[in-house]
Structure formats: C-alpha cells, structure tokens
Amino acid sequence: MEKEILTRLHVLGLQCVQMARGYGNNDPSAFPIKYGSSPNPKPLRQRLISARDREKNPAVKPPKFGDFLDQTSNLRQSISYFIIKDGKVIDGDLGDKGVTVAHNIAQQRARNVQKGYGLVVVAGQDYAEYVEANGYDVISSAEQFAKKQMPQLLAAMKKRIKSI
C-alpha cells in the first residue's frame, strides 16, 4: 500500500513540476492567491516584451499569458517537489537551482504533516513570491492542479483497496 501511495505522489509531483516549469500551462483561476507577505497579489496578466528586453536578447519571444520572462532559468529550474511522511521529507525532486531554500521550505511544511503523507511543490528561489505577487504564474497553476487531482488520486486508491 505504501509503495502505491508513494508512486502516485511521485507521479503527481512530477506532473506539477512539469506544469510549473513549462510554458503556457497557466490556469487563470489560480489567481489571485495570497502568499506569505504579499498582501495584494495581482490578477494573472500578460508579460509584454519591452525594448530593453529585446536589446538584451533579440531572440526573446513574448511569453504566453501569465508566464514570466525567463532571463536566467534559475526560477524555473528551482521548482521541485517533496514527499512527506509523518513529519519528515522522505523523497522528492530537488530541482537544479535553489536546492537549499526548497529543502528548507519542505522541512517547514513537513512539520505540519505529523501523521500521514503529503506533497509539497515549491519554487526554491527567494524571489518566486515576488514574481507571483506581480501576477505571473510560477507554481500557482500547479498548486491548483494538485488540489484538483488529489481527491481523484485518493478515490482511485480507495477503489483499488476495495478490490483487493
């Protein structure tokens, strides 16, 4: 049973990371969401390419609705997921950047799940919250996706248990 739970959480975590790192996977219903110290997050908006952006890199293309302009890839590469069991991080995808920050956030969230399993999707760059608060989608759509998928995941597991 535990193996199945962990497998399903891994799959959901990977889907969330893929969605968050991808371009144009935004869900406008994910905004506005309140985060930490951002009292007034802005609604999802379109990022326009400025002349300054084009001067830096003439090949830059306008991102899709809600996507932020990816200058260094650090923010996208810092998105990762962790699986929690009984208050401890037991597994996950550390991402490529911001590993320490992401792991610290996962450890903090793990303390809130003292019994059972949990999934944490996190952006490991310290400016992720600022980008989200300005109306760009970093992990909000992935969070909403996970919230919609979790009941379906639990229902499928209950169905499987009953059939055994």
Side-chain angles (χ1 to χ4, degrees):
M1 187 65 183
E2 181 172 2
K3 184 177 178 181
E4 184 165 342
I5 291 170
L6 293 176
T7 300
R8 290 179 185 261
L9 287 175
H10 270 292
V11 169
L12 183 56
L14 287 170
Q15 288 174 327
C16 289
V17 168
Q18 183 179 17
M19 174 181 272
R21 286 184 183 172
Y23 296 92
N25 293 319
N26 303 302
D27 178 4
S29 70
F31 282 80
I33 293 179
K34 280 197 168 186
Y35 283 101
S37 62
S38 301
N40 298 310
K42 296 176 180 151
L44 194 61
R45 65 183 186 176
Q46 174 65 42
R47 172 66 160 92
L48 302 174
I49 300 298
S50 68
R52 184 174 168 218
D53 294 332
R54 280 194 287 280
E55 286 172 12
K56 285 183 182 178
N57 183 357
V60 73
K61 294 181 180 160
K64 303 255 189 216
F65 179 73
D67 274 338
F68 53 92
L69 185 62
D70 202 356
Q71 306 233 350
T72 63
S73 296
N74 288 344
L75 183 54
R76 284 194 201 282
Q77 296 306 313
S78 75
I79 297 168
S80 54
Y81 76 93
F82 298 91
I83 296 174
I84 298 168
K85 179 184 176 193
D86 298 333
K88 295 186 185 202
V89 175
I90 60 168
D91 206 354
D93 167 43
L94 291 174
D96 297 332
K97 307 277 183 185
V99 173
T100 305
V101 173
H103 197 264
N104 288 343
I105 292 169
Q107 294 287 358
Q108 290 171 357
R109 297 288 169 97
R111 292 185 200 117
N112 297 333
V113 183
Q114 289 302 312
K115 191 169 187 175
Y117 296 90
L119 177 67
V120 176
V121 180
V122 64
Q125 291 294 333
D126 55 358
Y127 55 88
E129 181 180 356
Y130 173 79
V131 174
E132 285 267 346
N134 281 292
Y136 303 110
D137 189 2
V138 178
I139 60 173
S140 294
S141 289
E143 177 186 5
Q144 295 301 315
F145 174 76
K147 285 180 179 180
K148 290 176 185 174
Q149 293 298 312
M150 192 59 76
Q152 295 172 8
L153 185 141
L154 294 173
M157 287 178 48
K158 285 179 186 178
K159 186 177 179 182
R160 182 158 157 73
I161 290 170
K162 287 180 182 179
S163 69
I164 294 177

